[in-house]
Amino acid sequence: MTSQVHFIRATGSDPAEVLAAKAKRVYLATGLNERIAEGDFAALKIHFGEAGNTGYIKPQWLTGLIWEVRQRTKHAFLTDSNTLYVGNRSNSIDHLRLAWSHGFTPETTGLPVIIADGLIGRDKQEPKSAQARTASSKIASAILDADAYICLTHVTGHVQTGLGAAIKNTGMGCASRAGKLDQHSVTHPRVNAKQCRNCSVCMSFCPEAAIVQAEGHVVIDPARCIGCGECLVVCKFGAIKMKWDEDSLRLQEKMAEYAHRVATHFQGKAVYVNFLIQVTKDCDCMAKNQKGITEDIGILACLDPVAVDQATADLLVAGGGGQDPLRAGYDIDWSGQLAHGEKIGLGRRTYSLVEIA
Ligand code: SF4
Ligand code: SF4
């Protein structure tokens, strides 16, 4: 058995209305829209982009797709959950202001924005099912109160998982703060004292005050560290290290298990739309403009999150002439999330690519 992944070529230099038409066509090709019933709450899960980030999916690219969803139900909404790290998306008020500042307003999209885990990230539900890494998932309430799920993902590399695509947007992106902590808690970075310049930048970013001053350098208190990885990204001197293989694999497997419980809730009323436009080394949590690591490729859509992410990775490698542009950024084997996703029944890695002209 294979899953059909629908694909349309597109670039960021296409006019916004052209991109909106392409996103709509590839979404409609999956057949998901016809499964949405009148009155359904339809959650359009997206990352609104950190302040200063430019890679996020632009609201104007979604107008066609949203119009189609709204023909099926008046109860559609854009949504994301609050972050673990300290920033502009760690509570719902700052998060909403940021979404508006990036154009996600009712005037532009026709949809309200609802931050799915409440004011400060505590609103959650906890579906249980025995899995290898987790016994339950702490998922943002508004996601699991919805009837249909439309996962809109700007594909990126990632400092801890290597690939940030549909599985990550669902597994990590739909988790409440406690759920994010649960997934990250296997990962504890360490500081290389010889490389540390004692600039203290990492200390100001750490959400748990886990980085403390030592003699001429900083150290991480493992009892406080939640493994969010913020310090890895902000240290300009490469002084903070992770045990990539072991830690990343466990994180990816937890993420796939979280994604599986979200997908199970929607029972076929879920679709995954991946945008391979300005694919960047780091995710949209980075508060800066980042160049693409490949040429723009297009938009993929599928009912199967594993298949759409496998197709995404294959297209990226093909676009890199056989070299993996994700691993050029962070040398992390990102395939663990796909392998584990397939093993637990989240989806299939075998797929057929159906290109839309
Ligand atoms: S950001 Fe890097 S160099 Fe600066 S204190 Fe932290 S570990 Fe040391
Ligand atoms: S030390 Fe680093 S990984 Fe640990 S909580 Fe602080 S920022 Fe996150």
Side-chain angles (χ1 to χ4, degrees):
M1 288 280 285
T2 59
S3 295
Q4 280 201 338
V5 179
H6 301 273
F7 169 50
I8 194 161
R9 292 183 191 279
T11 77
S13 55
D14 286 340
E17 60 273 20
V18 171
L19 276 168
K22 289 181 176 180
K24 174 175 119 172
R25 287 176 65 201
V26 77
Y27 161 71
L28 287 177
T30 65
L32 184 280
N33 208 53
E34 288 149 35
R35 299 184 188 179
I36 300 174
E38 189 180 345
D40 273 358
F41 288 105
L44 280 74
K45 167 69 179 74
I46 195 164
H47 188 313
F48 299 110
E50 191 51 76
N53 181 274
T54 59
Y56 63 91
I57 299 169
K58 308 301 177 292
Q60 294 82 1
W61 302 352
L62 299 174
T63 52
L65 183 159
I66 289 172
W67 189 88
E68 293 292 341
V69 176
R70 292 181 68 199
Q71 300 315 298
R72 305 293 301 182
T73 180
K74 291 177 184 155
H75 294 153
F77 60 100
L78 288 157
T79 190
D80 196 5
S81 60
N82 290 310
T83 58
L84 257 186
Y85 66 85
V86 182
N88 293 296
R89 299 182 305 119
S90 52
N91 68 68
S92 289
I93 293 173
D94 293 342
H95 205 156
L96 281 170
R97 286 189 202 285
L98 181 58
W100 295 336
S101 75
H102 282 177
F104 292 92
T105 61
E107 292 75 24
T108 306
T109 65
L111 298 184
V113 175
I114 296 173
I115 303 303
D117 56 348
L119 185 63
I120 53 172
R122 287 189 185 156
D123 295 356
K124 62 182 186 298
Q125 298 177 35
E126 194 165 350
K128 295 181 171 54
S129 59
Q131 300 280 9
R133 297 289 184 199
T134 55
S136 67
S137 291
K138 300 172 181 80
I139 305 292
S141 280
I143 299 285
L144 295 188
D145 283 338
D147 305 292
Y149 177 68
I150 300 168
C151 181
L152 305 165
T153 306
H154 171 228
V155 173
T156 67
H158 192 265
V159 64
Q160 288 177 294
T161 60
L163 168 68
I167 295 173
K168 182 165 188 300
N169 195 12
T170 302
M172 189 64 73
C174 292
S176 67
R177 179 167 284 125
K180 291 185 175 85
L181 176 56
D182 179 29
Q183 293 174 70
H184 279 298
S185 62
V186 291
T187 53
H188 296 294
R190 288 155 286 274
V191 175
N192 181 323
K194 287 186 185 153
Q195 283 175 262
C196 176
R197 308 280 182 90
N198 212 16
C199 69
S200 77
V201 167
C202 55
M203 295 173 76
S204 59
F205 277 85
C206 177
E208 296 297 312
I211 307 177
V212 294
Q213 196 67 57
E215 198 69 28
H217 60 90
V218 299
V219 292
I220 293 173
D221 177 356
R224 299 193 74 137
C225 174
I226 58 171
C228 68
E230 274 306 292
C231 52
L232 286 157
V233 177
V234 299
C235 177
K236 293 195 176 82
F237 305 102
I240 302 185
K241 313 286 183 190
M242 188 77 88
K243 276 200 293 177
W244 289 121
D245 289 344
E246 183 188 328
D247 293 346
S248 176
L249 179 61
R250 295 178 83 190
L251 172 59
Q252 290 182 55
E253 290 181 351
K254 284 187 169 188
M255 214 166 68
E257 292 178 8
Y258 265 63
H260 186 255
R261 295 192 185 96
V262 173
T264 300
H265 167 81
F266 290 104
Q267 299 197 340
K269 274 197 188 182
V271 68
Y272 305 85
V273 185
N274 283 0
F275 287 71
L276 283 70
I277 294 174
Q278 197 182 339
V279 176
T280 49
K281 175 185 166 198
D282 283 302
C283 67
D284 294 348
C285 295
M286 294 304 289
K288 64 181 181 186
N289 179 29
Q290 302 178 71
K291 284 187 191 152
I293 56 174
T294 61
E295 298 292 313
D296 290 347
I297 294 172
I299 309 169
L300 299 174
C302 185
L303 301 176
D304 175 340
V306 177
V308 79
D309 281 3
Q310 184 67 61
T312 291
D314 291 345
L315 284 168
L316 287 171
V317 173
Q323 301 291 316
D324 183 347
L326 296 166
R327 293 194 76 147
Y330 294 106
D331 190 17
I332 296 172
D333 180 359
W334 40 258
S335 67
Q337 55 194 289
L338 301 171
H340 197 60
E342 183 167 60
K343 186 174 166 191
I344 63 177
L346 176 61
R348 303 182 193 95
R349 296 181 76 178
T350 47
Y351 63 90
S352 54
L353 195 66
V354 182
E355 184 164 352
I356 299 170

